[in-house]
Amino acid sequence: MISAKMEKALNDQINAEAFSAYLYMSMSAYFKSCNLPGFAHWMDIQAQEEYIHSRKFYDYIIQRGGKVKLAKIDAPETEWASPLAIFEAALKHEQYITSRINSLVDLSIKEKDHAAGIFLHWFVTEQVEEEENAGGIIEQLKLIADSKSGIFMLDRELGQRLPPAAGAQAAAGA
Ligand code: OFO
């Protein structure tokens, strides 16, 4: 069993991850409207990953005998000034999610909930990758600056991003 406090905190995180999916879907739609299909594809894959994150919390709550309580998802932004502004917003959002995961780990320690602590370790590692991904693209966008051919090349590169399951297999060398 999980405590009522942990159950509430994990349910809140389902909502935060679902909002992440919504945010990246909105960013993808914006890139589509700018005729940048590769950037849009990258954000679509990101949104799929976020859905998987929300499901991990959903499944864990049920596995531990808790009750899943889904809540309303806030509306994300729909307009940004540039590709750089979008990725800066994505990085800021990921840093916020990292702080939430860290608070959940703190709660697991406070409550001596070792199972939750182990479950949350995957997210601690994932957040390192999430911040690195967004930060890396920000660096590339800063180098490209206003170069249209640079944006075109990066769009092609981001369009190669593999979907979550295939990406995990490739990383494992399968
Ligand atoms: Fe972007 O890692 Fe979940 O929210």
Side-chain angles (χ1 to χ4, degrees), residues 29-92:
Y30 184 76
F31 278 130
K32 279 173 187 150
S33 74
C34 300
N35 286 320
L36 289 168
F39 281 88
H41 169 81
W42 194 95
M43 283 297 176
D44 271 336
I45 301 292
Q46 190 64 24
Q48 288 173 34
E49 285 206 355
E50 299 301 353
Y51 174 70
I52 291 169
H53 295 173
S54 71
R55 284 298 303 217
K56 280 180 185 279
F57 283 98
Y58 173 106
D59 290 339
Y60 179 77
I61 292 169
I62 291 172
Q63 193 182 11
R64 299 290 292 150
K67 189 164 171 50
V68 166
K69 292 174 194 156
L70 299 181
K72 189 165 77 177
I73 302 167
D74 288 340
E77 300 283 316
T78 56
E79 298 286 336
W80 291 270
S82 64
L84 178 60
I86 289 194
F87 275 93
E88 283 175 339
L91 176 59
K92 200 170 159 211

Side-chain angles (χ1 to χ4, degrees), residues 135-156:
I137 296 170
I138 287 171
E139 290 313 311
Q140 283 179 281
L141 285 166
K142 283 182 177 166
L143 280 174
I144 289 167
D146 292 330
S147 160
K148 285 204 166 68
S149 60
I151 292 284
F152 177 77
M153 295 298 288
L154 184 57
D155 189 63
R156 289 183 68 167

Side-chain angles (χ1 to χ4, degrees), residues 16-17 20 24 46 50 53 93-94 97 126-127 130:
E17 300 291 346
S20 299
Y24 294 129
Q46 190 64 24
E50 299 301 353
H53 295 173
H93 179 69
E94 288 303 332
I97 293 294
E126 176 70 5
Q127 283 311 117
E130 293 280 67

Side-chain angles (χ1 to χ4, degrees), residues 108-174:
S108 74
I109 292 167
K110 195 168 156 226
E111 301 223 327
K112 297 188 170 63
D113 186 340
H114 302 298
I118 289 167
F119 166 72
L120 289 163
H121 274 176
W122 184 91
F123 287 92
V124 172
T125 308
E126 176 70 5
Q127 283 311 117
V128 173
E129 194 183 310
E130 293 280 67
E131 289 190 27
E132 185 185 19
N133 286 345
I137 296 170
I138 287 171
E139 290 313 311
Q140 283 179 281
L141 285 166
K142 283 182 177 166
L143 280 174
I144 289 167
D146 292 330
S147 160
K148 285 204 166 68
S149 60
I151 292 284
F152 177 77
M153 295 298 288
L154 184 57
D155 189 63
R156 289 183 68 167
E157 186 189 322
L158 297 183
Q160 306 296 316
R161 186 175 184 186
L162 295 170
Q169 274 177 5

